[in-house]
Amino acid sequence: MEMSLQLQLNCKTTFAANRGLFFPPTAHRHQLCLPWRHEINAGCWGSFSITAGADFSRRRRKKAYNARPGGHTPKGFVPRPRIGSSNHKRGKKSTGVEGDSFSQTVHVISQGSKKTVDGNTDTDREEGVVVVEFPQEKKFEVVDANDETHEEGGQFPLLNETMSVSQNGNIFIIGEEGETVRETNADTDDEVTGETIVQETNADTDDERNKEAEASRLLRLELEANLRRQEIETIAVENFSKGNKLFVYPPVVKPDQDIEVFLNRSLSTLNNEPNVLIKGAFNDWRWKSFTIRLNKTTLNGDWWSCQVYIPNGAYKVDFVFFNGQNAYDNNDRKDFSISVDSGMDALSFEDFLVEEKRRELEKLALEQAERERQEEEKRQMEAEKAAEEEDRSLARVETERKRDKLQQLLNKAVKFMDNVWYIEHGEFNGKDSVRLYYNRSSGPLSNSKEVWIHGGHNKWKDGLTIVERLVKSGSKDADWWHADVVLPYQALVLDWVFADGPPHNASVYDNNHSEDFHAIVTKATDKEYWTREEQLIYRKLQEHRRLREKAMREKGEKTARMKVERKEKTLKRYLLSQKDIVFTEPLGIQAGRIVTIYYNPCKTNLNGKQEVWFRYSFNRWTHCNGPFPPQRMYPAENGTLVKTSVKVPLDAYMMDFVFSDKECGGVFDNNYGVDYHRPVFGGTLKEPPMHIVHIAVEMAPIAKVGGLGDVVTSLSRAVQDLNHKVHIVLPKYDCLSFSNIKDFQYHKNYFWGGTEIKVWHGKVEGLSVFFLEPQNGFFNAGCVYGCGNDAERFGFFSHAALEFLHQNGYNPDIIHCHDWTSAPVTWLFKEQYIRYGLSKARLVFTIHNLEFGADIIGKAMAHTHKATTVSHTYSVEVAGNPAIAPHLHKFCGIINGIDPDIWDPYNDKFIPVSYTSENVVEGKRAAKEALQHKLGLKRSDVPLVGIISRLTNQKGIHLIMHAIWRALECGVQVVLLGSAPDPRIQGDFENMANQLHSLHNDRARLCLAYDEPLSHLIYAGSDFILVPSIFEPCGLTQLVAMRYGSIPIVRRTGGLYDTVFDVNHDKGRAEVQGLEPNGFSFEGADTAGVDYALNKALSACYRRDWFNTLRKTVMEQDWSWNRPALDYLELYHAAHKSA
């Protein structure tokens, strides 16, 4: 609130000595309005006047203004800022309140009460600054507007004029009728002899007016400070009389302001301490701690004070006092606290903190982005500089090579041949026009009617570049002919022959006895020429490099963009994977926003329940405010759905929920024990990274035998890309592909199992890998599998891997082991390590193929926390196996993926043309032609069926053989790539290859040895890829085929059924997965099924537009590890929950 302060004082008027201040008999007053935030005792404030008697000198002394170069203004000259404002410098720590210089009082009378404040004027101050000083023996009284002003010596009438002070400090004299009589500049000297005289002056410069405005402002501040001090003194007296040792000013504390905290030391436990400090924080000691020293005040009593800034967001100030060491006044262990009138509470403060954290993270992100930009800019500059140096070096080398080549040419080149040819003026350079003479009678053209020159340069480097007809020269003796020839600029040596006609029409040549003619270009020997030549080569190299880098950059950007798009599409599929049961609006939950949850109880165990309650929290049930109160769900527009809406906290990264039929609990739908989880985007917190350790005996590409190696590498990379920490522990085989290991080095050693084990470390595909090398020779066999003691070798490795983790202090969140080879990890962990150093870890066990080691796998199933296999359908197919059946409650199937960086037709170096779904037709046409050329097949646009497989019974070799013959009967081409570990099967296919190559040499090729580059070309060049497996836990062949736009033809089993949706029969099944049909499939294991699928596929191939659309569709489906990685992370969290 504001108060209007009526000041009855001619601020710039000088009074005669010992003369009183005259007041007008009328009610006219001049008014000086001072803004004041009235925050306390509002009822006692009103309009008031200041009246005074004074004994001033007759004339104010003038003094030149000299700015003080440093130090502070004298006390009392400039008032300190008003408490309650926020104009202090934040960077300067407040240390308390200094003493005031006010020594006298001003009586404040308002509504019957009278208060006293100090005031004095120093007339001997710098020019242009007004300081009001009241004499020691006089007192001013602030009276009501109708009161008369008096002095101890009597009353004095004022002139019948009213004075008003303007904002710029000028004084207006207003007459009785309200008209302005004259205006007086506030900085003008004046005299008074018995009465008040105001002299009118005008400001001459802006600088003077600014000084006057500053003077007026300082006057207002001075008066405000006096009033504030008076208020504080009153409060101090009241508190001391009540025995209160603490108060703050202003009493109503608001955010974004300074408050002054007062402590009466004599009433405190610190009464004998020379130093007093305040130590505090805000909002229950949770935010922005501070420590400030208190200073002794001039208030009556032992009052000490300091200033404390109240930040936005505070709802409470908590503090104690201490002596800077170990003596405290903590309010009898309850601490002191002050409420802040901010509208904030503990709950809203949480949101405030989160928002503040978000802003901080945004700032840090911008700073990090700027640092990265600068680093990238620096890196590019350094790379550019290095590339320029390389280009200059290459240009010098190329120039030297040309000079050497020229020297060889010079040995054959001459300036003329006597009586055969010569060039007029003999000296010439590139771009010169020269006249070349030829004596027709000197050679085989002596009887020709026409003579032509066919020429080039630099040993015919650019082919035929000069063609001119010679004319008869009448000015020469003998049979001389000539032609005018323009030499190419790049010419070092001119090369030519003579002929009896133009190219393609000549029959007789004079080619200097098959040596051709050569002439030296003069400039070729000039140093200046070679300097220019080197510069020209350098510029060409730079241009080629820029174009190459630009193409690579654009390709890299497009690759990254396609990756992002694939991830977004896959995440959407993931979020909609349970849409028949639960989904949200919006689908992508945003932190700080409202989200609506839709639930279909008819599809769950809550079917038929009268009520459905939504029970939820965030951040894997760890949110500081959770779990939140249950909310009842009400029917949505769709009669089978119920819904509710909740506010998502700003610090959420995951939403967790279950459903029940009662508010207090009852029957739960908790998603079969793993709960429902949905990621939250845009929050200030990120999910804490998990630490996963894979213990495995295979890893691609350094120790790959089958699909296990691919899974270990690709799954690890995908999880690591989601910001989790991944390590792999692998045996150090002597047959490792060391060329694919980066930074391979010795790490440490340890002793266990009666032997020394050396540990090596390296990076494989960006993954951190530890290699264990026991000195007992277990892994020096030259192979991964096939030793008679494989069970002993891998059992030793499993135990050694756990011991390595234990001795090195690793305590991961998840230990993930694979197949029978690392199955012993499960029971060894439970029996020996879970209580000794690896207590945090949980076990996940993946079955890649139950065909091997079923008994060992069964024991692992009993001890692991969670178990998986590599597809949902395969998990159903093996559910009845004795090793699996007792443990179905912790068993599930997660489909494998492929590595999109290895299998990428847009960046594949083994295919002729890079392509995406946008140009799939052109890319596959080029690949087919390259494949046909490489294998010697007839170049034809007929359909091509590819088969890439290990040749084992599992892969359906009898169906493969039948399909090859059937495809050839249909008039198409067939290519097979694969080998058989069984020599008998290998022999059968070799015999078939000989027969096919004899009968269908231009349409069939069987390549019976694995060839990595050829496999890429077959995937790209084939129209169809056949996978007729008898059983297939997952299968990667069909996934790679679709990545390259080849249509899979598969048998409906295991992972083949889960990934290939028949174009005629599986549209509904595909829609459930958020996909479109993508191939052809057949039932049964007989030849009739293969014939049926082949016939359908080959017939569809001739519907060109439809088939090309299908190619585009399969290429745009994401069969990478994006989705499986999300499923595995949920499994890892479920493993912790189940334990």
Side-chain angles (χ1 to χ4, degrees), residues 182 305 407 477 553 572 627-628 701 1040 1053:
R182 57 189 177 275
S305 76
Q407 191 59 46
D477 297 334
R553 184 169 58 253
K572 184 177 180 180
F628 293 79
V1040 177
T1053 183

Side-chain angles (χ1 to χ4, degrees), residues 24 26 28 158-163 173-176 181-182:
T26 66
H28 294 295
L158 289 175
L159 300 174
N160 292 332
E161 294 175 334
T162 297
M163 178 176 66
I173 306 301
I174 303 173
E176 289 185 272
V181 178
R182 57 189 177 275

Side-chain angles (χ1 to χ4, degrees), residues 424-680:
E424 196 170 60
H425 302 305
E427 300 293 329
F428 49 86
N429 290 300
K431 289 191 175 180
D432 286 349
S433 178
V434 300
R435 180 164 290 183
L436 186 148
Y437 289 87
Y438 172 64
N439 186 351
R440 185 179 64 169
S441 62
S442 64
L445 300 180
S446 57
N447 296 321
S448 300
K449 294 181 179 180
E450 295 181 6
V451 179
W452 290 72
I453 180 173
H454 301 175
H457 63 281
N458 300 350
K459 204 174 180 179
W460 303 95
K461 175 184 175 182
D462 295 329
L464 194 64
T465 58
I466 300 173
V467 177
E468 295 290 343
R469 182 176 179 179
L470 281 69
V471 298
K472 181 77 167 101
S473 177
S475 61
K476 299 292 181 181
D477 297 334
D479 194 11
W480 290 93
W481 297 61
H482 72 270
D484 293 328
V485 176
V486 177
L487 301 179
Y489 172 75
Q490 302 90 348
L492 307 177
V493 174
L494 187 64
D495 313 297
W496 77 91
V497 298
F498 297 106
D500 64 347
H504 308 297
N505 287 326
S507 58
V508 180
Y509 291 87
D510 183 353
N511 60 7
N512 191 24
H513 307 291
S514 300
E515 294 292 329
D516 299 341
F517 296 99
H518 307 280
I520 301 172
V521 177
T522 304
K523 70 172 182 182
T525 59
D526 293 344
K527 182 177 181 180
E528 182 180 350
Y529 166 80
W530 289 110
T531 301
R532 289 197 304 270
E533 183 69 12
E534 181 177 328
Q535 188 64 22
L536 179 64
I537 295 172
Y538 168 70
R539 285 199 297 268
K540 285 184 176 180
L541 288 172
Q542 277 202 314
E543 182 63 23
H544 291 161
R545 178 175 57 82
R546 289 192 185 100
L547 292 174
R548 184 172 62 253
E549 289 177 351
K550 180 182 178 182
M552 291 174 60
R553 184 169 58 253
E554 290 176 348
K555 195 168 190 177
E557 290 172 352
K558 185 172 181 178
T559 300
R561 188 166 60 252
M562 290 190 297
K563 281 186 176 181
V564 170
E565 291 172 355
R566 280 199 305 271
K567 282 190 175 182
E568 289 176 349
K569 290 175 65 175
T570 299
L571 180 60
K572 184 177 180 180
R573 277 184 57 205
Y574 176 76
L575 296 177
L576 289 173
S577 60
Q578 293 179 301
K579 64 180 179 181
D580 58 326
I581 297 174
V582 62
F583 63 92
T584 64
E585 284 188 0
L587 189 61
I589 303 173
Q590 296 292 324
R593 304 287 182 85
I594 300 293
V595 61
T596 302
I597 299 90
Y598 291 86
Y599 177 63
N600 187 356
C602 297
K603 296 290 186 71
T604 71
N605 60 328
L606 298 186
N607 183 26
K609 301 296 183 181
Q610 293 183 350
E611 296 180 359
V612 175
W613 289 81
F614 179 72
R615 319 178 81 87
Y616 70 105
S617 187
F618 298 91
N619 302 350
R620 304 286 178 185
W621 299 100
T622 65
H623 194 273
C624 58
N625 294 331
F628 293 79
Q631 292 188 197
R632 185 172 179 179
M633 306 187 76
Y634 292 95
E637 294 75 14
N638 185 322
T640 63
L641 297 177
V642 291
K643 69 176 184 177
T644 191
S645 298
V646 299
K647 174 73 176 294
V648 182
L650 282 169
D651 58 349
Y653 57 81
M654 185 69 66
M655 184 176 186
D656 319 292
F657 52 95
V658 297
F659 303 94
S660 67
D661 68 335
K662 294 180 181 178
E663 182 178 8
C664 59
V667 179
F668 282 84
D669 172 14
N670 59 6
N671 196 22
Y672 302 101
V674 298
D675 302 339
Y676 294 94
H677 305 280
R678 293 295 181 270
V680 176

